[in-house]
Amino acid sequence: MTQKRKLIAGNWKMNGALQANDALVRAVVAGMQDAACEVAVCVPAPYLAQVQMLKSGSKLELGAQDVSQHASGAYTGEVSAPMLREFGVRYAIVGHSERRQYHGETDALVAEKARAALAHGITPIACVGETLAEREAGQTEEVVKRQLAAVIHVNGHCISEIVVAYEPVWAIGTGRTATPEQAQQVHALLRKQLAAATAQADRVRILHGGSMNAANAASLLAQPDIDGGLIGGASLKAPDFLQIIAAGSR
Ligand code: PEP
């Protein structure tokens, strides 16, 4: 495993308001000046312009929470990668479990979204993760491998350019967290899967997500195949998010 800069990415989900965003981003920017890791916030689309302005001159990166598989056209409600680029977006989450669950996003669609992002200079953060029922049925490995295989199948030629996020669905927003050992086990097998597709698998950052917080971040981020975090709830509170950033800087 080669040493690489960790990525701590916040996922605001459908939260935020102009005034609250202002305070949150200013506090994060002020507090992350000495961060040794990379930091991003994935914000709701209407706030991209606001956060682009608030973060200017800082090292904070901007992310989106989704991206259309299409570049333009009659797709009401969708936001394309070229549009996101115009707002300085560097990362786009694809295949978050909430999109898979509530919007019926399939493995194939997620792979196409990753392709669209890459084609326009945006790094997809491709999410994989098993539900509680799947874990209890012993299907964790099969599920995450299937989800990642779809992304590799479509994007194999530039798979070392993506970011992967392993987020056990049972840990997202529930306060339940995978133990560092449980998490590392899955991260290691995702790394192995990437290694079969690219000689540069060590370059790929595999983030961990699912109720990561100020208290548990350090032990998760200390695992050899955990290269950062995708942080939901705790990214909405500057002090908590900054503590996770500090843990990612060690
Ligand atoms: C997420 O939204 O990707 C997430 C991991 O949420 P939380 O940290 O709130 O579990």
Side-chain angles (χ1 to χ4, degrees):
M1 196 213 50
T2 52
Q3 200 60 35
K4 49 193 164 283
R5 212 152 66 102
K6 288 190 164 56
L7 170 62
I8 302 297
N11 172 19
W12 289 5
K13 312 194 191 212
M14 199 172 71
N15 293 295
L18 289 173
Q19 209 177 339
N21 302 346
D22 191 283
L24 176 58
V25 175
R26 282 181 200 281
V28 169
V29 165
M32 64 171 268
Q33 283 180 18
D34 298 326
C37 61
E38 192 179 345
V39 183
V41 283
C42 300
V43 310
Y47 298 133
L48 288 170
Q50 182 200 16
V51 178
Q52 182 188 28
M53 216 159 63
L54 284 168
K55 77 166 191 68
S56 75
S58 80
K59 290 185 293 184
L60 181 63
E61 298 284 1
L62 186 55
Q65 297 175 9
D66 185 28
V67 61
S68 172
Q69 70 273 35
H70 304 291
S72 67
Y75 303 104
T76 302
E78 296 289 293
V79 177
S80 74
M83 293 172 185
L84 296 177
R85 268 317 291 169
E86 289 205 291
F87 290 89
V89 166
R90 167 95 176 75
Y91 293 101
I93 298 171
V94 297
H96 191 281
S97 64
E98 288 152 14
R99 302 248 9 132
R100 292 179 189 263
Q101 188 180 347
Y102 305 133
H103 300 271
E105 293 197 2
T106 61
D107 296 340
L109 177 60
V110 172
E112 283 303 318
K113 290 184 170 200
R115 183 195 52 72
L118 285 164
H120 295 94
I122 293 172
T123 300
I125 300 176
C127 299
V128 301
E130 82 287 3
T131 63
L132 184 59
E134 288 164 341
R135 173 161 283 261
E136 287 176 347
Q139 295 167 343
T140 299
E141 178 167 345
E142 175 192 330
V143 169
V144 298
K145 277 188 165 173
R146 188 202 71 223
Q147 292 172 332
L148 182 58
V151 178
I152 293 174
H153 177 68
V154 172
N155 301 281
H157 54 293
C158 48
I159 201 67
S160 64
E161 304 301 317
I162 74 164
V163 171
V164 176
Y166 169 55
E167 301 203 303
V169 178
W170 47 271
I172 298 179
T174 58
R176 279 186 72 181
T177 317
T179 64
E181 296 71 26
Q182 279 175 325
Q184 166 58 26
Q185 195 181 17
V186 177
H187 281 242
L189 67 88
L190 294 172
R191 180 89 59 205
K192 206 164 141 202
Q193 190 178 2
L194 288 164
T198 170
Q200 305 197 71
D202 277 353
R203 266 189 55 187
V204 178
R205 285 181 295 191
I206 307 177
L207 312 185
H208 190 72
S211 299
M212 196 187 277
N213 58 36
N216 61 28
S219 57
L220 287 161
L221 294 169
Q223 299 303 307
D225 288 298
I226 299 186
D227 308 309
L230 184 56
I231 323 293
S235 72
L236 296 170
K237 297 174 221 132
D240 296 45
F241 195 46
L242 287 169
Q243 282 194 55
I244 298 170
I245 291 167
S249 298
R250 280 181 212 128

